[in-house]
Amino acid sequence: MPATSADVVVIGAGNVGAAIAYEVASRGASVIVVEAGEDVGNGCSYANAGLLAPSHVEPLTTPKNVLSGMRYMFQPDSPFHIHPAPRLAPFFARFVRSSGPGRARELTARMQELAMYSTNRHRDYAERGLDTGYRADGALDVFLTEKALSAAAGKLGSSVERSELLSADEAREREPALGEIAGAVLRPDEAQVGSQQFVRATLKAAEEHDAEIRWGTQARLLPAPHGRIRGVDTPDGRIVADTYVVAAGLGSSRLCANVGVNMPMEGAKGYVVDLELEGRGPAMPLSFREPKVVATPYADRLRLCGTLELGSDPRAVTASRVNTIRAAGHKGLPNLRVRRTIQTWAGLRPCTADGVPSIGRSAIRKELVVAAGHGMWGLVLAPVTGELIARGIVESAPTMHEAAFSPDRFGRTRISSSLGDERRPLAA
């Protein structure tokens, strides 16, 4: 089949890939987006809390998370759970080595800075007319115990966002649906969007700038052991570009390995429970901090999101975890009347072995740009990631300077000659 060409090929049409396509196309470059799924909402972009909360963003690799993972390892209903699978030993060894307190502080500050900028970009998207479901009603961090509330109060001055400590009565004044709580922190600058709505709107905006979206299209990067990437192989033929952007979630690891870039990732499973309510629900997003469950109100449902599992069966939906999420929702919002459960879903968030995303151009393969491994923060960080990648490609602007985000930081992989065999067909 004849090859087609573009300035930029983006592999992956989730939150991050869609934002990159829009930002690159709006700067005048020709873009082809290749997505294996048949429509919007594949992988972890299908459903998430939709909460734009910069103060929550941090590397997965913090001392607290490592300790929690060890403490909760044999508690099936814990909010953060690590399955002790032998195959994951190298991943977890890197995970633990990356969790030093100094690194965690530095990267938390940087990621929250990026998240704050990105939250403002979400607002800009809405002001440009992108129908992402953006609502800026603020949010509450809700604490069930005095101990947790006191710890949060001590950190208010270091927050990247405006915040206000509320007593239990003041919190219920803001949100009457709340039950017995110790208090809350009001974050008036936080907002929300719809997960699939964001992807659909940004891809539509990219198409308005002449980007082409190819759904249901498997892709494979073709390496040249001592030269340039030769193109992207698809069932419909080869696509040749100046720049190849990998933003394919967990599939990014395989795509990068194909061209000699190592990027170890695992899926961190998160759960979603969508409830149809009778009568009124909460008016703003609520983060119940001890059980780590977020309740986000939408026009037709209340979405409960929570838990994080590393190393579990990707196909399994664990009933005890679903029940824990529901119980946390009912404890924090005891007077809700649930008409029915719309859906229960579990999806894998792509997490790197050192807990931070890979964002930027590879020095190993100069035509390769990576934007993957955002974990739970793909939606909030999508606009800033898109802008950084687009400015780097189209404007040759220096963007991410930190080695911590480099796609080359895990080293090289050996390229198998069979991976680049042009005679092997690529299954549709």
Side-chain angles (χ1 to χ4, degrees):
M1 295 182 185
T4 55
S5 64
D7 295 327
V8 179
V9 173
V10 179
I11 305 176
N15 294 318
V16 173
I20 293 169
Y22 168 56
E23 293 283 351
V24 172
S26 67
R27 285 168 168 78
S30 59
V31 179
I32 296 175
V33 180
V34 179
E35 167 57 49
E38 298 294 333
D39 199 356
V40 167
N42 299 285
C44 63
S45 294
Y46 174 76
N48 52 57
L51 180 60
L52 308 178
S55 63
H56 295 179
V57 176
E58 64 179 10
L60 187 59
T61 47
T62 65
K64 181 177 69 174
N65 284 343
V66 169
L67 291 173
S68 295
M70 295 173 65
R71 184 168 67 249
Y72 293 143
M73 192 169 290
F74 301 105
Q75 297 182 29
D77 58 350
S78 60
F80 178 52
H81 186 63
I82 295 176
H83 291 257
R87 73 170 184 84
L88 296 176
F91 181 90
F92 289 138
R94 180 68 179 253
F95 188 94
V96 173
R97 289 200 307 271
S98 302
S99 63
R103 179 181 185 272
R105 282 193 302 272
E106 181 180 338
L107 289 177
T108 295
R110 179 58 169 143
M111 289 181 69
Q112 290 186 358
E113 177 187 29
L114 292 170
M116 194 69 196
Y117 179 85
S118 199
T119 296
N120 292 331
R121 294 285 286 150
H122 274 282
R123 182 197 62 222
D124 294 342
Y125 281 16
E127 290 175 351
R128 293 178 196 171
L130 276 67
D131 183 16
T132 63
Y134 178 84
R135 286 173 50 191
D137 297 328
L140 287 176
D141 287 354
V142 180
F143 299 90
L144 305 178
T145 65
E146 292 292 344
K147 180 180 178 181
L149 179 65
S150 177
K155 298 176 182 177
L156 287 186
S158 60
S159 176
V160 293
E161 302 176 78
R162 290 190 299 151
S163 57
E164 180 185 347
L165 187 67
L166 304 179
S167 68
D169 289 338
E170 289 170 332
R172 280 189 290 269
E173 230 178 279
R174 292 270 184 174
E175 182 46 77
L178 287 169
E180 290 299 318
I181 61 172
V185 173
L186 173 66
R187 301 195 184 273
D189 298 325
E190 291 185 0
Q192 68 180 83
V193 295
S195 48
Q196 293 185 50
Q197 199 171 350
F198 174 84
V199 177
R200 199 176 301 279
T202 47
L203 288 177
K204 179 182 176 183
E207 287 181 305
E208 290 170 355
H209 289 280
D210 299 322
E212 178 186 348
I213 317 297
R214 297 188 182 183
W215 298 104
T217 303
Q218 298 283 346
R220 179 178 62 199
L221 288 170
L222 291 172
H226 303 292
R228 295 172 58 87
I229 295 172
R230 289 179 288 169
V232 175
D233 235 10
T234 78
D236 298 321
R238 183 172 300 176
I239 308 171
V240 178
D242 295 324
T243 302
Y244 303 90
V245 179
V246 172
L250 282 171
S252 301
S253 183
R254 172 186 56 81
L255 287 161
C256 289
N258 254 27
V259 292
V261 177
N262 185 31
M263 192 168 62
M265 288 201 297
E266 287 293 333
K269 189 187 298 180
Y271 288 78
V272 168
V273 180
D274 281 346
L275 305 173
E276 181 183 342
L277 303 180
E278 292 183 7
R280 183 183 173 186
M284 64 169 62
L286 307 169
S287 294
F288 296 102
R289 300 307 290 158
E290 290 94 334
K292 301 189 184 305
V293 170
V294 176
T296 311
Y298 290 98
D300 62 343
R301 67 193 64 196
L302 177 68
R303 173 163 291 173
L304 302 178
C305 296
T307 78
L308 192 68
E309 287 183 272
L310 274 169
S312 65
D313 181 349
R315 298 161 297 180
V317 176
T318 307
S320 62
R321 296 195 174 278
V322 174
N323 292 336
T324 298
I325 291 171
R326 296 179 72 110
H330 285 297
K331 181 176 178 61
L333 301 163
N335 297 318
L336 290 186
R337 291 177 296 162
V338 178
R339 177 177 287 127
R340 68 184 180 98
T341 300
I342 298 172
Q343 68 169 344
T344 300
W345 179 82
L348 298 178
R349 278 62 173 150
C351 296
T352 63
D354 62 1
V356 298
S358 295
I359 303 173
R361 188 176 291 276
S362 170
I364 295 172
R365 295 285 177 181
K366 295 188 185 301
E367 307 83 30
L368 177 68
V369 171
V370 181
H374 289 66
M376 299 79 70
W377 318 123
L379 182 58
V380 65
L381 292 175
V384 70
T385 302
E387 181 179 327
L388 289 169
I389 295 299
R391 291 183 60 212
I393 293 172
V394 181
E395 303 168 13
S396 298
T399 51
M400 298 294 285
H401 302 285
E402 298 94 334
F405 297 95
S406 168
D408 300 327
R409 65 188 185 272
F410 299 108
R412 297 171 179 262
T413 61
R414 181 180 178 183
I415 300 174
S416 168
S417 60
S418 65
L419 289 172
D421 190 344
E422 298 178 42
R423 296 168 295 177
R424 293 173 68 232
L426 186 63

